[in-house]
Each structure stands twice: as C-alpha cells, then as structure tokens.
Amino acid sequence: PNPFNPSTTIKFALPEPGMTRVAIFNVAGHHVKTLIDEDLPAQAHQVVWSGDDDSGRSVAAGVYFYMVSSGSNRSVGRMALVK
C-alpha cells in the first residue's frame, strides 16, 4: 500500500480467530484512525483506508503507519500518502 492516493488497501492474514484491531498512526506516533476493532475469523482479510481520520477529515500528505494486532501478534507497516 505504498505510496497511495486517494486510498489504499491493507491486506493481512490471521492464523487464528480473535479480537483484531487495525489502526493508523502518524509519524509522531499519534493515533489517526481505527479501521477495524472486532472479532475476526482465521483467514485473509483486507481493509481500505481513504486517508481520513476518525472524524472523517482528510489527513495531510506524509508517512503513516498501520498496526494490525490480534492476540499476542502484531504487525506494523509503513505507507506514504501523496497528494
């Protein structure tokens, strides 16, 4: 998902079912948006981020990080929003 404009698809796979959260953070580590916060089955998943925050406002161009966490597993990726 790098670089993107105006949206990107984040793909991930869960080895076991569980409570899963996918969140976006800016380069300073501040929370920008929660995309998923629910129980998901063990399988491949994808979620689209349209470059907005939790309030629906467009965010500035720049580097952002996504974190997928489920149980004790965490995965972090980097992406760049270009405008």
Side-chain angles (χ1 to χ4, degrees), residues 49-79:
W49 181 45
S50 299
D52 60 344
D53 65 13
D54 277 332
S55 298
R57 296 178 299 231
S58 292
V59 298
V63 175
Y64 292 87
F65 296 90
Y66 63 88
M67 182 171 63
V68 179
S69 56
S70 183
S72 62
N73 299 312
R74 283 206 174 103
S75 178
V76 176
R78 188 177 99 166
M79 55 195 165

Side-chain angles (χ1 to χ4, degrees), residues 1-55:
N2 192 11
F4 72 96
N5 180 7
S7 65
T8 186
T9 302
I10 299 167
K11 298 178 183 181
F12 60 97
L14 300 177
E16 55 190 46
M19 192 63 178
T20 303
R21 183 173 186 184
V22 179
I24 307 295
F25 298 88
N26 65 20
V27 74
H30 298 118
H31 179 266
V32 174
K33 183 162 182 126
T34 299
L35 299 173
I36 294 177
D37 193 11
E38 61 187 81
D39 226 358
L40 294 179
Q43 64 185 40
H45 299 274
Q46 63 183 30
V47 62
V48 175
W49 181 45
S50 299
D52 60 344
D53 65 13
D54 277 332
S55 298

